[in-house]
mmCIF file of all heavy atoms in Angstrom:
data_model
loop_
_atom_site.group_PDB
_atom_site.id
_atom_site.type_symbol
_atom_site.label_atom_id
_atom_site.label_comp_id
_atom_site.label_asym_id
_atom_site.label_seq_id
_atom_site.Cartn_x
_atom_site.Cartn_y
_atom_site.Cartn_z
ATOM 1 N N TRP A 1 -2.093 3.296 3.328
ATOM 2 C CA TRP A 1 -3.219 4.160 3.868
ATOM 3 C C TRP A 1 -3.273 5.462 3.252
ATOM 4 O O TRP A 1 -2.126 6.227 3.254
ATOM 5 C CB TRP A 1 -3.223 4.097 5.360
ATOM 6 C CG TRP A 1 -3.349 2.791 5.971
ATOM 7 C CD1 TRP A 1 -2.444 2.151 6.703
ATOM 8 C CD2 TRP A 1 -4.549 2.112 6.128
ATOM 9 N NE1 TRP A 1 -3.038 0.957 7.067
ATOM 10 C CE2 TRP A 1 -4.185 0.827 6.859
ATOM 11 C CE3 TRP A 1 -5.902 2.254 5.715
ATOM 12 C CZ2 TRP A 1 -5.197 -0.081 7.105
ATOM 13 C CZ3 TRP A 1 -6.769 1.209 5.902
ATOM 14 C CH2 TRP A 1 -6.480 0.042 6.727
ATOM 15 N N ASN A 2 -4.323 6.083 3.118
ATOM 16 C CA ASN A 2 -4.413 7.487 2.717
ATOM 17 C C ASN A 2 -4.506 8.340 4.050
ATOM 18 O O ASN A 2 -5.333 8.357 4.874
ATOM 19 C CB ASN A 2 -5.694 7.785 1.996
ATOM 20 C CG ASN A 2 -5.821 9.178 1.443
ATOM 21 O OD1 ASN A 2 -5.322 10.151 2.098
ATOM 22 N ND2 ASN A 2 -6.458 9.460 0.392
ATOM 23 N N HIS A 3 -3.366 8.902 4.393
ATOM 24 C CA HIS A 3 -3.119 9.620 5.581
ATOM 25 C C HIS A 3 -4.116 10.916 5.796
ATOM 26 O O HIS A 3 -4.430 11.352 6.881
ATOM 27 C CB HIS A 3 -1.708 10.149 5.857
ATOM 28 C CG HIS A 3 -0.778 8.947 5.907
ATOM 29 N ND1 HIS A 3 0.555 8.953 5.621
ATOM 30 C CD2 HIS A 3 -1.068 7.567 6.009
ATOM 31 C CE1 HIS A 3 1.074 7.821 5.778
ATOM 32 N NE2 HIS A 3 0.154 6.917 5.909
ATOM 33 N N GLU A 4 -4.497 11.520 4.668
ATOM 34 C CA GLU A 4 -5.231 12.721 4.701
ATOM 35 C C GLU A 4 -6.842 12.368 4.816
ATOM 36 O O GLU A 4 -7.476 13.047 5.487
ATOM 37 C CB GLU A 4 -5.106 13.514 3.441
ATOM 38 C CG GLU A 4 -3.664 13.993 3.233
ATOM 39 C CD GLU A 4 -3.102 14.637 4.479
ATOM 40 O OE1 GLU A 4 -3.761 15.553 5.057
ATOM 41 O OE2 GLU A 4 -1.881 14.441 4.822
ATOM 42 N N MET A 5 -7.214 11.342 4.225
ATOM 43 C CA MET A 5 -8.587 10.824 4.171
ATOM 44 C C MET A 5 -8.554 9.336 4.618
ATOM 45 O O MET A 5 -8.729 8.519 3.740
ATOM 46 C CB MET A 5 -9.369 11.131 2.943
ATOM 47 C CG MET A 5 -9.427 12.633 2.629
ATOM 48 S SD MET A 5 -10.331 12.887 1.025
ATOM 49 C CE MET A 5 -11.945 12.244 1.439
ATOM 50 N N PRO A 6 -8.450 8.957 5.845
ATOM 51 C CA PRO A 6 -8.309 7.593 6.236
ATOM 52 C C PRO A 6 -9.612 6.820 5.748
ATOM 53 O O PRO A 6 -10.711 7.210 5.897
ATOM 54 C CB PRO A 6 -8.240 7.594 7.825
ATOM 55 C CG PRO A 6 -7.749 8.880 8.093
ATOM 56 C CD PRO A 6 -8.262 9.866 7.109
ATOM 57 N N ASP A 7 -9.355 5.581 5.304
ATOM 58 C CA ASP A 7 -10.390 4.689 4.812
ATOM 59 C C ASP A 7 -10.308 3.531 5.572
ATOM 60 O O ASP A 7 -9.219 3.144 6.241
ATOM 61 C CB ASP A 7 -10.109 4.473 3.363
ATOM 62 C CG ASP A 7 -11.535 4.003 2.623
ATOM 63 O OD1 ASP A 7 -12.493 3.749 3.429
ATOM 64 O OD2 ASP A 7 -11.527 3.732 1.535
ATOM 65 N N LEU A 8 -11.233 2.549 5.506
ATOM 66 C CA LEU A 8 -11.291 1.377 6.241
ATOM 67 C C LEU A 8 -10.558 0.206 5.624
ATOM 68 O O LEU A 8 -10.120 -0.679 6.194
ATOM 69 C CB LEU A 8 -12.848 0.771 6.321
ATOM 70 C CG LEU A 8 -13.636 1.639 7.310
ATOM 71 C CD1 LEU A 8 -15.168 1.286 7.258
ATOM 72 C CD2 LEU A 8 -13.195 1.596 8.679
ATOM 73 N N GLU A 9 -10.191 0.313 4.257
ATOM 74 C CA GLU A 9 -9.366 -0.760 3.655
ATOM 75 C C GLU A 9 -8.445 0.207 2.663
ATOM 76 O O GLU A 9 -8.680 1.278 2.378
ATOM 77 C CB GLU A 9 -10.185 -1.668 2.756
ATOM 78 C CG GLU A 9 -11.126 -2.557 3.642
ATOM 79 C CD GLU A 9 -11.566 -3.674 2.886
ATOM 80 O OE1 GLU A 9 -10.898 -4.419 2.199
ATOM 81 O OE2 GLU A 9 -12.708 -3.868 2.870
ATOM 82 N N ALA A 10 -7.384 -0.438 2.309
ATOM 83 C CA ALA A 10 -6.282 0.178 1.517
ATOM 84 C C ALA A 10 -5.579 -0.972 0.725
ATOM 85 O O ALA A 10 -5.501 -2.076 1.190
ATOM 86 C CB ALA A 10 -5.469 1.139 2.236
ATOM 87 N N PRO A 11 -4.669 -0.487 -0.342
ATOM 88 C CA PRO A 11 -3.988 -1.540 -0.981
ATOM 89 C C PRO A 11 -2.736 -2.033 -0.160
ATOM 90 O O PRO A 11 -2.111 -1.276 0.683
ATOM 91 C CB PRO A 11 -3.510 -0.817 -2.268
ATOM 92 C CG PRO A 11 -4.354 0.404 -2.278
ATOM 93 C CD PRO A 11 -4.802 0.757 -0.973
ATOM 94 N N LEU A 12 -2.409 -3.245 -0.383
ATOM 95 C CA LEU A 12 -1.162 -3.857 0.208
ATOM 96 C C LEU A 12 -0.030 -3.673 -0.784
ATOM 97 O O LEU A 12 -0.166 -4.288 -1.956
ATOM 98 C CB LEU A 12 -1.310 -5.287 0.658
ATOM 99 C CG LEU A 12 -0.210 -6.029 1.137
ATOM 100 C CD1 LEU A 12 0.440 -5.422 2.424
ATOM 101 C CD2 LEU A 12 -0.598 -7.552 1.413
ATOM 102 N N TYR A 13 1.047 -3.110 -0.415
ATOM 103 C CA TYR A 13 2.271 -2.998 -1.305
ATOM 104 C C TYR A 13 3.441 -3.719 -0.818
ATOM 105 O O TYR A 13 3.693 -3.906 0.339
ATOM 106 C CB TYR A 13 2.629 -1.446 -1.497
ATOM 107 C CG TYR A 13 1.810 -0.932 -2.584
ATOM 108 C CD1 TYR A 13 0.433 -0.228 -2.326
ATOM 109 C CD2 TYR A 13 2.226 -0.570 -3.778
ATOM 110 C CE1 TYR A 13 -0.339 0.330 -3.226
ATOM 111 C CE2 TYR A 13 1.652 0.032 -4.851
ATOM 112 C CZ TYR A 13 0.275 0.584 -4.443
ATOM 113 O OH TYR A 13 -0.404 1.237 -5.453
ATOM 114 N N ALA A 14 4.281 -4.010 -1.699
ATOM 115 C CA ALA A 14 5.711 -4.543 -1.476
ATOM 116 C C ALA A 14 6.672 -3.507 -1.943
ATOM 117 O O ALA A 14 6.471 -2.787 -2.919
ATOM 118 C CB ALA A 14 5.967 -5.906 -2.155
ATOM 119 N N GLU A 15 7.807 -3.274 -1.130
ATOM 120 C CA GLU A 15 8.824 -2.386 -1.346
ATOM 121 C C GLU A 15 10.167 -3.212 -1.356
ATOM 122 O O GLU A 15 10.517 -3.718 -0.260
ATOM 123 C CB GLU A 15 8.860 -1.156 -0.475
ATOM 124 C CG GLU A 15 9.982 -0.219 -0.794
ATOM 125 C CD GLU A 15 9.967 1.001 0.148
ATOM 126 O OE1 GLU A 15 8.963 1.305 0.730
ATOM 127 O OE2 GLU A 15 10.942 1.764 0.052
ATOM 128 N N ASN A 16 10.918 -3.007 -2.375
ATOM 129 C CA ASN A 16 12.255 -3.622 -2.476
ATOM 130 C C ASN A 16 13.285 -2.846 -1.689
ATOM 131 O O ASN A 16 13.318 -1.566 -1.850
ATOM 132 C CB ASN A 16 12.697 -3.748 -3.964
ATOM 133 C CG ASN A 16 14.119 -4.549 -4.053
ATOM 134 O OD1 ASN A 16 15.106 -3.982 -3.694
ATOM 135 N ND2 ASN A 16 14.048 -5.782 -4.589
ATOM 136 N N LEU A 17 13.890 -3.371 -0.658
ATOM 137 C CA LEU A 17 14.867 -2.536 0.198
ATOM 138 C C LEU A 17 16.080 -2.147 -0.518
ATOM 139 O O LEU A 17 16.696 -1.110 -0.079
ATOM 140 C CB LEU A 17 15.279 -3.593 1.287
ATOM 141 C CG LEU A 17 14.093 -3.820 2.266
ATOM 142 C CD1 LEU A 17 14.649 -4.807 3.377
ATOM 143 C CD2 LEU A 17 13.555 -2.556 3.107
ATOM 144 N N GLY A 18 16.430 -2.746 -1.617
ATOM 145 C CA GLY A 18 17.526 -2.236 -2.403
ATOM 146 C C GLY A 18 17.197 -1.174 -3.454
ATOM 147 O O GLY A 18 17.792 -0.108 -3.372
ATOM 148 N N THR A 19 16.144 -1.359 -4.262
ATOM 149 C CA THR A 19 15.909 -0.456 -5.296
ATOM 150 C C THR A 19 14.783 0.505 -4.857
ATOM 151 O O THR A 19 14.681 1.514 -5.612
ATOM 152 C CB THR A 19 15.416 -1.294 -6.559
ATOM 153 O OG1 THR A 19 14.087 -1.942 -6.184
ATOM 154 C CG2 THR A 19 16.356 -2.230 -6.927
ATOM 155 N N GLU A 20 14.109 0.236 -3.880
ATOM 156 C CA GLU A 20 12.935 1.099 -3.306
ATOM 157 C C GLU A 20 11.792 0.987 -4.301
ATOM 158 O O GLU A 20 10.933 1.813 -4.221
ATOM 159 C CB GLU A 20 13.388 2.565 -3.107
ATOM 160 C CG GLU A 20 14.482 2.617 -1.889
ATOM 161 C CD GLU A 20 14.759 4.087 -1.574
ATOM 162 O OE1 GLU A 20 14.223 4.868 -2.332
ATOM 163 O OE2 GLU A 20 15.576 4.245 -0.601
ATOM 164 N N GLU A 21 11.871 0.001 -5.239
ATOM 165 C CA GLU A 21 10.732 -0.051 -6.179
ATOM 166 C C GLU A 21 9.484 -0.652 -5.471
ATOM 167 O O GLU A 21 9.638 -1.613 -4.635
ATOM 168 C CB GLU A 21 11.108 -0.973 -7.241
ATOM 169 C CG GLU A 21 10.017 -1.203 -8.377
ATOM 170 C CD GLU A 21 10.444 -2.203 -9.402
ATOM 171 O OE1 GLU A 21 11.645 -2.604 -9.480
ATOM 172 O OE2 GLU A 21 9.682 -2.609 -10.253
ATOM 173 N N LYS A 22 8.385 -0.064 -5.717
ATOM 174 C CA LYS A 22 7.147 -0.605 -5.128
ATOM 175 C C LYS A 22 6.093 -1.251 -6.043
ATOM 176 O O LYS A 22 6.206 -0.863 -7.321
ATOM 177 C CB LYS A 22 6.431 0.661 -4.463
ATOM 178 C CG LYS A 22 7.203 1.346 -3.343
ATOM 179 C CD LYS A 22 6.484 2.653 -2.821
ATOM 180 C CE LYS A 22 7.190 3.268 -1.728
ATOM 181 N NZ LYS A 22 8.403 3.945 -2.303
ATOM 182 N N ARG A 23 5.512 -2.268 -5.540
ATOM 183 C CA ARG A 23 4.501 -2.934 -6.371
ATOM 184 C C ARG A 23 3.246 -3.331 -5.548
ATOM 185 O O ARG A 23 3.422 -3.651 -4.347
ATOM 186 C CB ARG A 23 4.936 -4.181 -7.115
ATOM 187 C CG ARG A 23 5.581 -5.220 -6.118
ATOM 188 C CD ARG A 23 6.376 -6.329 -6.906
ATOM 189 N NE ARG A 23 7.026 -7.299 -5.899
ATOM 190 C CZ ARG A 23 6.273 -8.403 -5.575
ATOM 191 N NH1 ARG A 23 5.224 -8.691 -6.154
ATOM 192 N NH2 ARG A 23 6.887 -9.228 -4.893
ATOM 193 N N GLU A 24 2.128 -3.273 -6.174
ATOM 194 C CA GLU A 24 0.733 -3.578 -5.419
ATOM 195 C C GLU A 24 0.720 -5.083 -5.372
ATOM 196 O O GLU A 24 0.888 -5.886 -6.389
ATOM 197 C CB GLU A 24 -0.471 -3.022 -6.194
ATOM 198 C CG GLU A 24 -1.594 -3.189 -5.384
ATOM 199 C CD GLU A 24 -2.875 -2.533 -6.050
ATOM 200 O OE1 GLU A 24 -2.900 -1.408 -6.257
ATOM 201 O OE2 GLU A 24 -3.774 -3.320 -6.320
ATOM 202 N N LEU A 25 0.407 -5.683 -4.164
ATOM 203 C CA LEU A 25 0.278 -7.065 -4.053
ATOM 204 C C LEU A 25 -1.219 -7.556 -3.958
ATOM 205 O O LEU A 25 -1.782 -8.490 -4.581
ATOM 206 C CB LEU A 25 0.860 -7.519 -2.685
ATOM 207 C CG LEU A 25 2.402 -7.401 -2.538
ATOM 208 C CD1 LEU A 25 2.876 -7.951 -1.205
ATOM 209 C CD2 LEU A 25 2.989 -8.190 -3.716
ATOM 210 N N LYS A 26 -2.072 -6.799 -3.231
ATOM 211 C CA LYS A 26 -3.426 -6.976 -2.991
ATOM 212 C C LYS A 26 -4.155 -5.517 -2.976
ATOM 213 O O LYS A 26 -3.643 -4.586 -2.594
ATOM 214 C CB LYS A 26 -3.823 -7.624 -1.656
ATOM 215 C CG LYS A 26 -3.190 -8.965 -1.506
ATOM 216 C CD LYS A 26 -3.760 -9.876 -2.542
ATOM 217 C CE LYS A 26 -3.079 -11.178 -2.695
ATOM 218 N NZ LYS A 26 -3.490 -12.130 -3.814
ATOM 219 N N GLU A 27 -5.351 -5.614 -3.786
ATOM 220 C CA GLU A 27 -6.007 -4.212 -3.927
ATOM 221 C C GLU A 27 -6.609 -3.754 -2.707
ATOM 222 O O GLU A 27 -6.736 -2.349 -2.576
ATOM 223 C CB GLU A 27 -7.216 -4.460 -4.987
ATOM 224 C CG GLU A 27 -7.922 -3.265 -5.312
ATOM 225 C CD GLU A 27 -8.930 -3.481 -6.401
ATOM 226 O OE1 GLU A 27 -9.111 -4.643 -6.789
ATOM 227 O OE2 GLU A 27 -9.675 -2.449 -6.659
ATOM 228 N N SER A 28 -7.101 -4.346 -1.757
ATOM 229 C CA SER A 28 -7.819 -3.820 -0.693
ATOM 230 C C SER A 28 -7.614 -4.935 0.500
ATOM 231 O O SER A 28 -8.208 -5.934 0.608
ATOM 232 C CB SER A 28 -9.254 -3.749 -1.001
ATOM 233 O OG SER A 28 -9.918 -3.052 -0.006
ATOM 234 N N VAL A 29 -7.074 -4.325 1.564
ATOM 235 C CA VAL A 29 -6.932 -5.217 2.851
ATOM 236 C C VAL A 29 -7.143 -4.357 4.004
ATOM 237 O O VAL A 29 -6.986 -3.109 3.980
ATOM 238 C CB VAL A 29 -5.499 -5.927 2.976
ATOM 239 C CG1 VAL A 29 -5.328 -6.873 1.692
ATOM 240 C CG2 VAL A 29 -4.391 -4.949 3.242
ATOM 241 N N VAL A 30 -7.388 -5.003 5.209
ATOM 242 C CA VAL A 30 -7.478 -4.343 6.432
ATOM 243 C C VAL A 30 -6.172 -4.556 7.345
ATOM 244 O O VAL A 30 -5.653 -3.648 8.011
ATOM 245 C CB VAL A 30 -8.685 -4.825 7.248
ATOM 246 C CG1 VAL A 30 -8.828 -4.178 8.626
ATOM 247 C CG2 VAL A 30 -10.015 -4.482 6.401
#
């Protein structure tokens, strides 16, 4: 979510707990 300008939908991300690497899973979800 964009904390400064909240929107109704936002991208869904995955974060690896070991490497902290992030990747987008879905472009827009609620």
Side-chain angles (χ1 to χ4, degrees):
W1 297 106
N2 185 329
H3 300 163
E4 302 304 321
M5 297 182 62
D7 203 354
L8 291 172
E9 296 192 52
L12 173 61
Y13 274 83
E15 179 178 345
N16 186 288
L17 292 172
T19 65
E20 299 184 357
E21 181 182 352
K22 300 177 180 66
R23 59 191 178 94
E24 185 178 301
L25 298 180
K26 298 295 170 185
E27 184 180 358
S28 184
V29 302
V30 176

